Amino acid sequence: MTMELDVFVGNTTIMDEEVYQLWLDGYTVFDAVKVRIDGGVMEECEASADVLLSDTMDQYRTFQMCERLLHSPSKLGNQLLFQIPPHRQAMLIERYYTFDDAFVREVLGKKLSKGTKKDLDDISAKTNVTLKSCRRQFDNFKRVFKVVEELKGPLVENIRQHFLLSDKLARDYAAIVFFANNRFETGKRKLHYLTFQDFAFCAGQLISNWTVGAVDSMVEDMDVDLDKEFLQDLKELKVLITDKDLLDQHKSLVCTALRGKTKAFTEMEANFKNISRGLVNIAAKLTNTKDVRDFFLDLVEKFIEPCRSDRWTAADVRLYLTHYNNSAHILDTFKHQVVWDRYMGVIKGCIFKMYHD
């Protein structure tokens, strides 16, 4: 008895994107097969359960062999074991380094150490992200942090070049590295309403304006460490609240500009001094490591919560901070406009992002 077989020989590594995602999400082979069956792949490909199991196991083996290359993405394009087209390489890398917002929100600002890694069981249960996926994501954060922490040059560009990530993903990793280095508090109950993307936006503002790299583009840790000289200069802003004449003059200018433009004017006028003291005191304390860590908590407690209790809208906040910032330029005896603008530019950007109606 003779049999006829159609044989196709090729050297391009076959990778199913759906199976790759199941592997990344931490599914076992058998769970992945079940998901594929439920998705109708057997009818679509006219395959038996045994063939599907064999195919899934084969692809999982391929992904596991590729994983060591994904740890150093540039190696993926230079190796000869797997024939993978460039567009498929880009997909493998981007997805491998993509993370769950729910997971990163739990570890944001924490030290990327063994101590945090021990908490991954609890984080997995809380976020419904599999433990295997949590470990992959945590190890990716740690790997990127370790590679870029001593490099000179812009943080986002270093991440993009070394890990071949898209600009958006590189910026998200820059935020993670920045928060891990400065250990910003993000876990307190008052901060739970803020998403990872809220914090990532604020990280971008801080990196662009308050780090050493904002004034010197070729120093180590330029986009990771805050500019200590600038933080010291912020103490000079205290004159806005300690000089009674200056405080009264600032209030008068802001209230004159706001009168008739918002329903919250009465509350703005009544609380001007408390709010101004809150914003200026945040600036004056940033030379202390603990106060740097509590930066976002302080913004919520000293500005966002008081404004919410007075029912300010997001538009009210934008209007108030714009005039509060601009009016300082008209104060005759206030001589720290450059430091003020560098400080308030970030404060405005962060508060606008954090103030949810």
Side-chain angles (χ1 to χ4, degrees):
M1 179 178 175
T2 60
M3 291 181 66
E4 289 188 7
L5 295 174
D6 291 326
V7 177
F8 173 79
V9 178
N11 65 350
T12 300
T13 305
I14 304 299
M15 292 181 172
D16 185 301
E17 290 188 28
E18 181 195 0
V19 180
Y20 183 53
Q21 193 58 54
L22 291 169
W23 177 74
L24 289 175
D25 290 341
Y27 284 77
T28 65
V29 169
F30 294 103
D31 286 340
V33 168
K34 185 176 185 307
V35 171
R36 297 182 77 187
I37 290 172
D38 291 345
V41 72
M42 287 176 68
E43 293 78 9
E44 188 181 316
C45 301
E46 298 181 356
S48 67
D50 285 344
V51 169
L52 194 63
L53 175 61
S54 177
D55 175 66
T56 305
M57 288 178 69
D58 186 48
Q59 296 211 47
Y60 265 47
R61 274 193 295 269
T62 301
F63 300 144
Q64 284 157 4
M65 291 169 71
C66 283
E67 188 165 20
R68 63 182 178 79
L69 299 170
L70 290 166
H71 292 171
S72 302
S74 59
K75 291 181 180 178
L76 196 61
N78 298 324
Q79 54 80 40
L80 301 174
L81 182 60
F82 302 104
Q83 301 300 309
I84 307 170
H87 74 279
R88 188 55 63 97
Q89 290 181 28
M91 180 277 294
L92 292 174
I93 295 165
E94 190 79 1
R95 287 204 188 178
Y96 188 79
Y97 284 90
T98 296
F99 51 81
D100 293 282
D101 279 5
F103 172 74
V104 71
R105 185 64 185 81
E106 292 297 317
V107 300
L108 190 66
K110 292 183 179 177
K111 198 171 182 180
L112 299 175
S113 63
K114 289 180 181 178
T116 304
K117 196 167 185 177
K118 287 178 183 176
D119 297 333
L120 295 185
D121 282 335
D122 294 334
I123 294 173
S124 172
K126 183 177 179 180
T127 59
N128 287 323
V129 176
T130 65
L131 182 58
K132 186 177 179 184
S133 183
C134 286
R135 284 176 177 153
R136 171 182 61 81
Q137 294 176 55
F138 182 82
D139 288 342
N140 285 346
F141 299 160
K142 193 172 178 180
R143 185 180 309 111
V144 173
F145 184 96
K146 192 171 182 180
V147 167
V148 302
E149 67 175 334
E150 299 301 334
L151 291 176
K152 294 181 180 181
L155 181 58
V156 174
E157 186 60 23
N158 283 339
I159 293 171
R160 202 175 62 76
Q161 286 190 0
H162 279 77
F163 292 93
L164 308 181
L165 304 180
S166 65
D167 185 68
K168 171 68 172 69
L169 192 55
R171 289 182 185 283
D172 284 346
Y173 268 91
I176 293 164
V177 169
F178 183 70
F179 268 71
N181 184 70
N182 291 286
R183 305 285 300 282
F184 288 109
E185 174 60 63
T186 67
K188 291 282 172 63
R189 184 179 56 80
K190 290 181 178 183
L191 299 173
H192 284 179
Y193 79 97
L194 294 167
T195 66
F196 166 71
Q197 289 303 329
D198 289 334
F199 282 121
F201 174 85
C202 294
Q205 295 284 302
L206 288 157
I207 289 170
S208 296
N209 296 283
W210 287 8
T211 59
V212 181
V215 289
D216 186 345
S217 61
M218 284 308 292
V219 290
E220 287 187 2
D221 294 340
M222 58 167 279
D223 285 347
V224 177
D225 292 337
L226 294 173
D227 182 353
K228 288 184 171 58
E229 191 175 326
F230 165 66
L231 298 184
Q232 197 66 40
D233 289 343
L234 288 175
K235 289 180 178 291
E236 304 293 339
L237 301 182
K238 282 204 82 169
V239 68
L240 285 170
I241 55 174
T242 55
D243 184 319
K244 187 177 183 306
D245 290 340
L246 211 53
L247 180 59
D248 290 339
Q249 191 183 351
H250 194 190
K251 177 181 177 179
S252 175
L253 288 168
V254 174
C255 291
T256 299
L258 290 172
R259 187 173 280 108
K261 293 180 180 175
T262 169
K263 293 178 181 177
F265 175 76
T266 303
E267 290 79 8
M268 289 179 178
E269 186 177 37
N271 291 329
F272 177 87
K273 291 183 179 180
N274 284 336
I275 288 175
S276 189
R277 286 190 187 103
L279 290 176
V280 173
N281 280 327
I282 290 173
K285 293 195 302 178
L286 286 175
T287 48
N288 301 319
T289 303
K290 184 185 183 304
D291 289 304
V292 169
R293 289 181 184 177
D294 286 342
F295 174 68
F296 295 100
L297 189 63
D298 285 342
L299 283 182
V300 168
E301 290 181 343
K302 292 176 177 161
F303 185 88
I304 292 172
E305 284 185 342
C307 295
R308 274 198 191 131
S309 67
D310 284 339
R311 301 175 186 268
W312 293 21
T313 64
D316 290 333
V317 168
R318 191 172 290 272
L319 183 70
Y320 180 88
L321 286 177
T322 299
H323 288 296
Y324 178 76
N325 179 38
N326 294 344
S327 295
H329 288 271
I330 312 171
L331 297 170
D332 295 333
T333 57
F334 183 60
K335 305 299 182 186
H336 310 288
Q337 272 88 357
V338 174
V339 175
W340 175 250
D341 283 345
R342 191 176 171 189
Y343 174 66
M344 283 303 299
V346 169
I347 293 297
K348 286 192 300 178
C350 290
I351 289 176
F352 293 162
K353 191 68 176 176
M354 294 166 65
Y355 199 90
H356 300 176
D357 275 344

